[in-house]
Every structure is written in C-alpha cells, then in structure tokens.
Amino acid sequence: MFKKILIANRGEIAVRVIRACREMEIPTVAVYSEADRPSLHVRYADEAFCIGPPPSTESYLAMDKIIEVAKKTQAEAIHPGYGFLAENAAFAGLCEREGITFIGPSSKAMRVTGSKTSARTLAKEVGVPVVPGTTHDLTDEEVAQTAAEMGYPILIKAAGGGGGKGMRIVASDEELTSAIRAARSEASSSFGDPAIYVEKYLQRPRHIEMQILGDKYGDVIYLGERECSIQRRHQKVIEESPSPIITPDLRRRMGEAAVALAKASGYNNAGTMEFLVDQDRSFYFLEVNARLQVEHPVTEMVTGIDLVKEQILIAAGEKLRYRQEDIKLRGAAIECRIYAEDPDNNFMPSPGKIWGLRSPGGPGVRDESGVYEGYEVPLYYDPLISKLVAWGRDREEALERMRRALREYVIQGIKTTIPFHRRVLEDPDFLKGDFDTTFIETRFTERVATGARRHQEVALIAAAIHAYLKEKRAEVPRPQVTAPATGSPWKMAARQDGLRRR
Ligand code: ADP
C-alpha cells in the first residue's frame, strides 16, 4: 500500500479523500492556495503546502508545483478529486513519467474517453446506442448540413466539453450562425479547443448514469445507477440512487453497456458512463466521466462500498474485491448539493464569512462539508460547500430524512441553496419521481419566482406593521430600560431571571 498520498484538490472533496486515507492509515499531504490557508482540508491533512496565489492556474492547476510537493514529501500517489486536474490526461501522463501513481484511469484511457466524439465513436463500435448525431469534429458548413438532415432542435457541443460549457440548443436556421460562433468561442476559452459537433436535442430526457469500477487486470463491474435529472443549466443539483424509473432489466442492460465501454477503452479505476433515457425508456450513451463524481456518495450509501478506498486499492494494483453478483442495492439515497449561492437572486455566488453553523445529523444523514463556523468562503473557486446525503429503507424514507436534515441545516452569514432544495423536496411531481432534465427550468423557476415575489410581499407587509407600531409607540411615553453591561445572551437571560424573581 502507498506510504503517503497527496491530494491535488481543495474543499469538501479533499476532506473526503483525506478521510478515506485516514481510515486506511495512509498519511496525507494537502496542497493549498494562499486563499485557502484557513481551509478545512489544510487542517485535516498530516502535512500541507502552499503552492501559490488564489487563481487556480497558479495553484490547483499548476502541475509542476504539485509534482514538486509530491516529490519533496515522498508521496507515492496523487488523488485528483474532481474538477481541476482530475480529467487532465497530460497530468496523468506527467505523474506516470515521474513515477507517481495517479489515482484514476491511465492517461491513455483518459485520452480515449476525454473527447466526447472519440468516446461516441467507441460506443458505436461496441454496439452501445449513442444520442443521434455526429462522431467527429465539424466545420461550420458541416454543422449546417447536419442540422438540415437531422431537423431541429439540435444541440451543438464542444468535443472537449464539460460543465455545460460550449453547449448551445438551436431551434431554427436563424439561430444557427450565432450559436456556432458562441459555442466555438466558449469551447476555445474553456478548453483551449474550438472543436464542436452536433447531437439531436432529445425532448425531456432523464439523465441516468452508471458507476463502474475496473481494476488493472481488465475486470470491470457496475455499481448501479444514479438519477441526475434534477439540473439547473445542464448541471446536476440533486441526485439519487436508485432511479425511480429503472427496472432491474434496464439496470442490467445499461450496466452491461457501461462495462462494455469501459473494457473497450482499457479503462481502470472508478468511472461513470452517462446516459440519456428518453420517454419510451430507450437509453443513449452521452459521455464518460473519467473520475470520481460529486454524486458518488449516493452509490456508496446503497451499495455499502467506499468508492474512494476502492480507487486507492485499485491504483495500488489490487484486484477488484467484488464480483458483479456481490453488488446489491439496499434502500435509497439522495444528495443535495449545497452551494454558497443565492437561489432568490438567480443563484449569484455568495462568498463570505460563515458566522453561524448548525449541521444536520441523526439517522441516515451524511453531511460532506468543507466548511466550519468562522470560515470565510473564498470567491475564487466552485461554490460547492457541502454535499448533504440521506439514506432510507426506501425512497420515501430517504426523502423524509432529507427534508428533516434540510430543516436542521443552518448556515448564517452567507446565502446558500438550502431553501431551494427545501422547495424542490416539497414538489408533488418530484416526490412522485415524475420529472426530467427540464424540471427546474420549465416548471420550477416559475415557482421559485413566485416564492421570491411572495417573500417581497411579506417583507412589505412586515415593514408597514413595523412603521405603524413605531409611530404608535412614539405616542405613548416609554419606560426607561437600562442596557445590560454585557452583550452575552446567557448573562442577559440570567439578569432578567433575577429581576423577575425579585
Ligand atoms: P457536460 O459534459 O458539459 O456537462 P453533458 O454532455 O454531460 O455535458 O450534458 C449535460 C446535460 O445536458 C445532460 O445531463 C442533459 O441534461 C443535457 N443534454 C446533453 N445532451 C443532450 C441531448 N442530446 N439532448 C437533450 N439534452 C442533452
């Protein structure tokens, strides 16, 4: 086993990896930017090194600096978490050349799966259905030609895409030229590659993905699906396992497709094969995520398998510890991504100091947080501050527990998406499992807006009552109150108590 692991990431995911290492008694090294000096991952790791200024290009994406710390501390392996360098084939290759184990797939497998078009080609080769569209990068003329052949709506996508960037839905010829231009420029600025291709835009699909684990000896298994259709701007916000619509037969077919794809690409370690499932329950391969996913805990809760530990064991050269028939899904799990964002103000980032924090707990609740009371959420990075996960014997109990946990969760000082999750978890269609990837955009945004309007009305009424009472009070002579000598709420209570008794 590795004698030391460096975690090339920050926040809640770095903490998650450190926890797995600690259980395995593997010492850890954290790296951090100047903005992250007070971060939880820095406090949790056995050693921590500052690698540069806040911008991630000068810190968390600075490959040479990270390799230098790994060498200096004699870390034998690097866990990239997700985001930053997690799907960077050049970084995986650099680790390989430097004799440091990258905890993830090989750089070769990552190159095959990293481009959406080459992954689509591979899927076709092994007979896995893909979303209709092209499998190679297109010129502007070819995009127009494909659109004419396929019919609108189409979706232009960046070949090197991720995070919903470089993606444009096009409904008609008139929108095409500007959409191509916008997609290409976003693809260039985000991925350094303007290559785009086209997919048919499916109407109201569900996003359902398969978790896989593969070892270095060609053995691959699937660990069930995750339902990730609750999205905002094509980004997941709530995930669950199992999916309310998946039958055992569909699970097996999608699982086998995922395994076939992994095997064909020489994939090892943890990975996710993403699919879209349409209204008649046909599934289409979407893309490979060659890393751990943000939503991995829901799979862990229903399978009982710690995916980070498995990643480490596989990277160290161990054979898979499970056979396909060992994988049994037990109960249901749901995850809410808690972001430092203001849901009543178009999800604007809300960095700042957390001056009050009460985390939920109790049966079936897991709070994967990267913050603490007094911590200041920096503005430089992804605003994900916690993944709140609830498990229950069935979906109903998991939802009950999540609703309860969301009520318990108090974060003061910054805005968070907790109130938004509370609203989704009260939605009758969501509770029935009746939704698709357009759920938030189409129906929910209206309800949120209505909610926000209602808040404004309540605020107005409250202000009017306040003004009225103030005016009334001004008419009546007020008794003299002596201010307490100390601001402590406990001392104040005691003093009032004493006064009453006398
Ligand atoms: P990214 O890698 O940028 O996150 P994905 O290809 O994973 O992009 O797609 C993200 C989301 O966008 C999907 O979960 C789905 O909601 C939507 N989407 C992607 N492709 C299609 C498509 N062909 N038709 C309809 N929706 C799609």
Side-chain angles (χ1 to χ4, degrees):
M1 189 35 67
F2 302 119
K3 293 203 178 62
K4 202 182 268 184
I5 292 178
L6 181 147
I7 295 102
N9 214 305
R10 62 177 298 282
E12 52 78 32
I13 183 56
V15 172
R16 166 73 188 90
V17 176
I18 293 169
R19 283 184 170 141
C21 292
R22 189 143 295 158
E23 286 176 28
M24 296 171 87
E25 296 185 356
I26 302 171
T28 52
V29 182
V31 289
Y32 62 95
S33 74
E34 282 157 17
D36 270 342
R37 207 172 285 278
S39 271
L40 208 55
H41 77 284
V42 175
R43 297 182 175 193
Y44 272 32
D46 297 300
E47 295 169 71
F49 292 85
C50 182
I51 50 168
S56 38
T57 45
E58 294 171 58
S59 48
Y60 298 105
L61 291 172
M63 305 187 202
D64 293 338
K65 290 184 187 172
I66 294 169
I67 296 284
E68 194 187 310
V69 175
K71 287 185 158 175
K72 185 164 73 184
T73 56
Q74 295 180 324
E76 295 171 329
I78 295 183
H79 196 301
Y82 34 69
F84 296 128
L85 297 169
E87 285 183 284
N88 188 316
F91 183 63
L94 182 61
C95 291
E96 285 158 15
R97 286 195 298 283
E98 295 288 348
I100 299 166
T101 306
F102 178 82
I103 303 178
S106 67
S107 59
K108 198 163 149 232
M110 218 185 264
R111 275 198 187 91
V112 178
T113 56
S115 151
K116 290 188 191 237
T117 43
S118 67
R120 281 164 63 80
T121 308
L122 192 72
K124 278 191 161 176
E125 277 167 19
V126 294
V128 172
V130 299
V131 179
T134 62
T135 43
H136 61 276
D137 309 341
L138 304 177
T139 63
D140 292 5
E141 293 70 38
E142 285 171 326
V143 173
Q145 201 182 325
T146 313
E149 281 163 19
M150 249 180 1
Y152 292 102
I154 61 159
L155 190 59
I156 301 178
K157 280 188 170 181
K165 297 214 176 77
M167 201 150 74
R168 286 290 181 288
I169 302 168
V170 191
S172 67
D173 265 338
E174 291 77 64
E175 298 170 11
L176 194 61
T177 315
S178 65
I180 293 175
R181 203 177 314 125
R184 276 205 200 284
S185 91
E186 204 169 292
S188 298
S189 60
S190 305
F191 317 111
D193 177 9
I196 53 170
Y197 72 101
V198 167
E199 280 179 15
K200 179 78 191 152
Y201 183 67
L202 301 185
Q203 301 293 336
R204 305 184 52 203
R206 293 179 85 116
H207 174 121
I208 297 178
E209 57 187 33
M210 274 286 159
Q211 175 70 51
I212 59 128
L213 274 180
D215 65 18
K216 291 185 173 173
Y217 314 98
D219 200 7
V220 185
I221 57 170
Y222 62 92
L223 287 85
E225 78 282 1
R226 287 185 290 258
E227 164 73 67
C228 309
S229 303
I230 303 296
Q231 303 181 348
R232 209 188 136 260
R233 300 201 169 146
H234 305 302
Q235 298 301 297
K236 304 157 189 168
V237 290
I238 297 178
E239 305 95 344
E240 53 184 302
S241 184
S243 160
I245 63 149
I246 294 281
T247 59
D249 175 60
L250 187 52
R251 177 174 301 123
R252 182 188 50 75
R253 287 189 288 126
M254 289 178 72
E256 286 173 3
V259 167
L261 256 166
K263 286 189 171 167
S265 56
Y267 196 95
N268 79 81
N269 216 288
T272 296
M273 308 296 165
E274 296 190 329
F275 297 92
L276 291 182
V277 177
D278 72 11
Q279 314 260 326
D280 67 7
R281 305 288 184 258
S282 301
F283 65 88
Y284 303 95
F285 167 71
L286 192 60
E287 66 160 347
V288 180
N289 278 158
R291 54 173 167 83
L292 192 70
Q293 301 265 91
V294 178
E295 55 273 26
H296 74 275
V298 294
T299 300
E300 296 187 322
M301 301 299 271
V302 294
T303 58
I305 292 173
D306 184 320
L307 287 169
V308 180
K309 281 188 192 164
E310 296 306 319
Q311 284 194 296
I312 294 170
L313 291 171
I314 289 167
E318 304 238 337
K319 286 188 164 178
L320 274 188
R321 296 197 284 175
Y322 308 93
R323 287 163 307 178
Q324 189 60 56
E325 55 271 30
D326 298 332
I327 307 301
K328 303 266 187 297
L329 305 188
R330 195 179 140 262
I334 177 167
E335 173 184 279
C336 289
R337 298 186 184 196
I338 314 288
Y339 286 101
E341 288 175 346
D342 183 357
D344 286 329
N345 188 12
N346 205 21
F347 294 85
M348 286 279 280
S350 176
K353 188 162 185 151
I354 294 177
W355 52 261
L357 177 68
R358 191 182 70 206
S359 301
V365 173
R366 164 173 168 183
D367 180 38
E368 298 241 316
S369 163
V371 300
Y372 55 87
E373 197 167 288
Y375 174 74
E376 191 155 346
V377 179
L379 51 82
Y380 300 99
Y381 312 109
D382 185 289
L384 180 67
I385 50 175
S386 163
K387 308 184 301 264
L388 181 62
V389 187
W391 179 89
R393 280 163 307 169
D394 50 26
R395 186 169 189 262
E396 209 166 284
E397 190 178 48
L399 293 175
E400 280 163 10
R401 285 179 168 166
M402 179 56 90
R403 266 200 302 275
R404 191 254 305 158
L406 286 167
R407 270 208 302 273
E408 285 177 18
Y409 218 149
V410 179
I411 301 180
Q412 291 168 315
I414 58 166
K415 300 277 186 193
T416 75
T417 50
I418 292 172
F420 175 76
H421 288 298
R422 286 190 195 131
R423 285 174 230 154
V424 175
L425 263 91
E426 277 165 12
D427 184 281
D429 291 332
F430 175 74
L431 298 182
K432 274 189 276 171
D434 183 12
F435 52 79
D436 56 67
T437 54
T438 64
F439 178 78
I440 289 178
E441 252 88 1
T442 54
R443 292 171 298 168
F444 212 78
T445 333
E446 262 169 44
R447 285 179 211 171
V448 173
T450 322
R453 261 200 307 280
R454 212 176 297 133
H455 285 161
Q456 279 172 7
E457 282 162 16
V458 171
L460 264 174
I461 295 167
I465 295 172
H466 178 74
Y468 170 75
L469 289 177
K470 212 168 146 194
E471 222 165 83
K472 274 203 87 170
R473 251 184 261 129
E475 291 164 9
V476 184
R478 298 171 72 189
Q480 286 294 308
V481 181
T482 331
T486 162
S488 156
W490 303 111
K491 289 194 178 151
M492 271 167 72
R495 192 168 297 115
Q496 280 162 5
D497 239 22
L499 284 177
R500 262 202 306 276
R501 255 182 252 124
R502 243 181 280 141

